[in-house]
Amino acid sequence: MLVAIEGLDGSGKSTIIKALSKILRKRGLNVFITSEPTDGPIGKIIKQYLAKENRSRDIRMEALLFAADRIWHVNNVIKPMLEKGGIVITDRYKYSSLAYQAMSSKDEKWVEEINKFVPEANLAFFIDVTPENCIKRLNLSKRKKSIMENLKNLKKVYERYLKLVKRGKLIRINGEKDVQSISGEIAWFILEKLS
């Protein structure tokens, strides 16, 4: 089973995934954790690009890089993990591209088209934390911000994530609750799907 966890930068995805994996492992399930961008050859280029603050962005180039990295991710990480049995949890997947790189409905169709080469997740969740709260959390963290991590960008991305929830692509989870409640709720969906 492939599970995607989506959300704005600063929504707590990584922390939630760690707590979720503990819950599932206590149930005796094999859990594999992965993330995008990957540590593969294209993912490394993306990470370098996102680390540069004062750069004009080309959304089309970003979308193509993420789609290529995702194909690498599926072929080299996700499929082999799924073949071992168990649950693969990915911190970001194709829905991130639909939120971050699809600026208009026309762009959205194109972004969907270049991501058609990877399967849908069995379950995909949107950790709903307001852009304002995400910025507060990011400001408290010591890591360097990416070019996407500002309030204006996060508000646009947030609206696109909500559209994906309305379209039934993502299950909305209230990310303002405590980590145990959030991870417990996601675990319930996963266990229901498995049964």
Side-chain angles (χ1 to χ4, degrees), residues 97-176:
S97 287
L98 292 170
Y100 280 84
Q101 281 95 40
M103 292 304 204
S104 69
S105 60
K106 187 178 172 186
D107 293 334
E108 192 172 311
K109 287 177 186 141
W110 178 72
V111 173
E112 281 181 359
E113 184 67 19
I114 63 173
N115 280 281
K116 73 179 184 182
F117 305 105
V118 297
E120 293 289 329
N122 299 101
L123 287 169
F125 299 93
F126 169 54
I127 308 302
D128 187 349
V129 177
T130 66
E132 292 80 8
N133 281 343
C134 286
I135 288 292
K136 282 179 193 169
R137 292 177 183 185
L138 290 168
N139 287 338
L140 290 171
S141 77
K142 292 185 176 144
R143 73 173 177 78
K144 196 174 177 186
K145 288 192 187 82
S146 81
I147 56 174
M148 284 303 298
E149 294 171 347
N150 63 65
L151 188 57
K152 184 182 170 188
N153 282 336
L154 291 186
K155 281 183 174 179
K156 288 179 188 173
V157 173
Y158 182 77
E159 290 305 316
R160 289 199 290 278
Y161 268 128
L162 291 180
K163 284 180 184 173
L164 291 169
V165 169
K166 284 179 187 162
R167 287 175 53 198
K169 296 264 185 195
L170 298 170
I171 298 165
R172 183 188 165 274
I173 301 290
N174 180 353
E176 306 282 356

Side-chain angles (χ1 to χ4, degrees), residues 19 32 42 51 74 77 112 132 156 170 184 191:
F32 304 96
I42 302 160
V74 168
V77 180
E112 281 181 359
E132 292 80 8
K156 288 179 188 173
L170 298 170
L191 295 169

Side-chain angles (χ1 to χ4, degrees), residues 1-3 121-123 171 187-195:
M1 173 187 285
L2 176 60
V3 176
N122 299 101
L123 287 169
I171 298 165
W188 180 87
F189 277 102
I190 292 169
L191 295 169
E192 276 289 299
K193 185 91 171 170
L194 286 172
S195 64

